[in-house]
Amino acid sequence: MFSEEEEDCVFFESAMNLKKWPHMVTECVPLPREVGDLAPIYFKKAILESEGEWTQNKKLIELRGRDIRRAVPKALPYFSCDFGNESGFAHVIEEEREFPKNFAQEIIGGMLDLDHSIWRKPKREDFELQMARINEFKEKWKKYDFSTKTE
């Protein structure tokens, strides 16, 4: 869908608080194609610079040809990202309290040269606006949604 609209996208996932309140979030952000082409470089650099210099786990895990569940040790918090249909990277989070909750948003915001208030203090949207945006996406997605197609 994004390719037909001359766009690219980044999928990112974080799994944190696995011991007390397990929580996992997966998001997809569309990007202009020329920005999306550079996304792997930005994310790789940010992951390598994240947290402390000394870590027990490998800082950057390449996911090419690997499933995230096999690449990250079981029961450890992690961040992962994929780029369109391409595999990306994973990072075992050593210190959850120090790892930014909006890690990916900060990277994408920097790539797009956006003001940090967009992801740090997002404005509330009213229900009607959200529903309009959902319906617009559903209409675009219909052509690609194989879960509703019957043979």
Side-chain angles (χ1 to χ4, degrees), residues 21-86:
W21 301 285
H23 192 72
M24 187 189 92
V25 176
T26 302
E27 293 185 49
C28 175
V29 177
L31 298 169
R33 178 152 298 148
E34 59 277 359
V35 175
D37 288 343
L38 297 173
I41 297 166
Y42 279 89
F43 274 85
K44 184 175 187 174
K45 183 178 185 308
I47 289 170
L48 288 171
E49 292 174 355
S50 69
E51 298 191 274
E53 187 175 327
W54 307 103
T55 59
Q56 291 180 349
N57 296 286
K58 191 174 177 182
K59 198 166 242 201
L60 182 78
I61 302 167
E62 299 255 356
L63 293 177
R64 186 172 294 128
R66 297 172 74 185
D67 184 282
I68 185 73
R69 285 172 270 163
R70 289 191 171 86
V72 173
K74 192 173 184 165
L76 290 181
Y78 67 88
F79 169 83
S80 71
C81 54
D82 292 312
F83 311 102
N85 292 326
E86 301 293 319

Side-chain angles (χ1 to χ4, degrees), residues 5-38:
E5 295 188 11
E6 296 297 318
E7 291 181 325
D8 205 340
C9 63
V10 173
F11 293 92
F12 56 92
E13 173 179 295
S14 59
M16 299 174 79
N17 298 317
L18 301 178
K19 290 186 171 93
K20 292 183 180 183
W21 301 285
H23 192 72
M24 187 189 92
V25 176
T26 302
E27 293 185 49
C28 175
V29 177
L31 298 169
R33 178 152 298 148
E34 59 277 359
V35 175
D37 288 343
L38 297 173

